[in-house]
Amino acid sequence: MPSFSRVLLGLFCLLVAVLLLAPTLVVIPMSFNGNKSLAFPPVGFSWQWYDNFFTNPDWTTSFTNSLIIALIVAVVATVIGTLAAFGVSRAAARTGGLLRALLITPMVVPGVVLAIGIYAVYLDTHLVGTVTGFVLAHTMLAIPFVLIAVQASLEVFDRRLETAASSLGAGRLTVFRTVTLPLILPGVLSGALFAFITSFDEIIVALFITSPYLKTLPVQIYSSITRDADPTVAAVGTLLFLATSLIIIAGLLFGMRRGRT
């Protein structure tokens, strides 16, 4: 029989889980509202808001923009962040700590402060409302997440394996490709996922550097909320929730399968 304290702890964890998921779960029924308003409980049932998302050019274009930018940012930030993690982990303790503090600065500086600075620079360089501008800004915001994820993998990586491979005649590139990368791959993939989500979900900087010709999905959601607030926003939220859930489940299954092998 489980003890009373364990039952109480389990109930507390369940309550916390409900509190965390409740706002997200409420969005799902709201997306099927028959009326043109964000209301809970919903009135009636309709698929029209999902149809509006897939047929309205404003929504489809903003979604495509966010997807393209996030994919580019994930690749660029993962490469830069992984290299930075190697540099930090193999530097002297004091130097590595200083470099790490500098590299994670975008995580601790208020987003609006970064947004103002980026906007000021972009005005002079004509990067406002461009894919290049979004990629550069979001990459800067995503690199700290990649750095932390990869560095965590490097902390438990046994460097003697690299030494052994080198002693057998393998070059540095071969050692990295065949020994180091496979062992730190979970951290690299985690960093890439965080980089993608950081870019896809970013709103503060995007509001400053957007233009009528290039909007990301979060900016479109914000514009819709402030303009007409129809349930299309809830439909988008539901689709993103389902996509995120599938990605998390796939990641867990991949991790379990990797652990067994």
Side-chain angles (χ1 to χ4, degrees):
M1 292 290 293
S3 64
F4 177 75
S5 59
R6 292 184 63 181
V7 173
L8 190 62
L9 182 60
L11 292 175
F12 176 76
C13 293
L14 179 62
L15 177 62
V16 172
V18 170
L19 291 175
L20 292 175
L21 289 175
T24 303
L25 296 178
V26 165
V27 171
I28 297 176
M30 290 172 60
S31 67
F32 297 101
N33 198 346
N35 293 339
K36 190 179 179 181
S37 62
L38 279 173
F40 185 83
V43 178
F45 181 88
S46 175
W47 291 94
Q48 63 177 313
W49 311 118
Y50 290 91
D51 180 68
N52 185 48
F53 172 71
F54 288 108
T55 58
N56 189 323
D58 291 338
W59 287 104
T60 55
T61 302
S62 62
F63 173 77
T64 303
N65 290 336
S66 285
L67 188 62
I68 292 173
I69 291 170
L71 287 173
I72 298 173
V73 168
V75 174
V76 176
T78 300
V79 173
I80 298 175
T82 300
L83 294 175
F86 270 92
V88 170
S89 64
R90 303 193 177 185
R94 183 175 299 180
T95 304
L98 179 61
L99 289 174
R100 187 176 188 276
L102 290 174
L103 289 169
I104 66 172
T105 298
M107 291 183 64
V108 296
V109 174
V112 68
V113 175
L114 281 175
I116 293 172
I118 292 171
Y119 178 68
V121 173
Y122 279 15
L123 282 178
D124 293 333
T125 54
H126 306 289
L127 288 174
V128 173
T130 64
V131 173
T132 303
F134 273 95
V135 169
L136 290 176
H138 287 181
T139 298
M140 180 183 66
L141 297 174
I143 285 175
F145 294 96
V146 180
L147 173 70
I148 292 173
V150 177
Q151 193 174 10
S153 294
L154 289 173
E155 289 293 333
V156 296
F157 175 72
D158 189 352
R159 294 187 61 184
R160 290 176 298 179
L161 297 174
E162 292 181 329
T163 304
S166 298
S167 67
L168 295 173
R172 289 187 178 182
L173 184 59
T174 302
V175 171
F176 176 78
R177 181 174 54 84
T178 60
V179 178
T180 309
L181 184 58
L183 292 176
I184 66 169
L185 187 60
V188 175
L189 293 179
S190 298
L193 180 60
F194 278 118
F196 178 86
I197 294 174
T198 299
S199 174
F200 193 86
D201 194 48
E202 205 283 320
I203 177 65
I204 299 177
V205 174
L207 283 174
F208 278 78
I209 63 175
T210 192
S211 74
Y213 309 104
L214 181 64
K215 285 185 178 181
T216 58
L217 186 60
V219 173
Q220 178 62 28
I221 292 174
Y222 178 80
S223 300
S224 178
I225 285 288
T226 56
R227 186 177 64 249
D228 44 30
D230 66 51
T232 305
V233 174
V236 175
T238 301
L239 292 173
L240 294 179
F241 171 71
L242 293 176
T244 304
S245 299
L246 290 175
I247 292 174
I248 292 174
I249 293 172
L252 291 174
L253 292 175
F254 175 78
M256 292 172 58
R257 184 175 180 182
R258 186 181 178 88
R260 290 174 182 174
T261 57

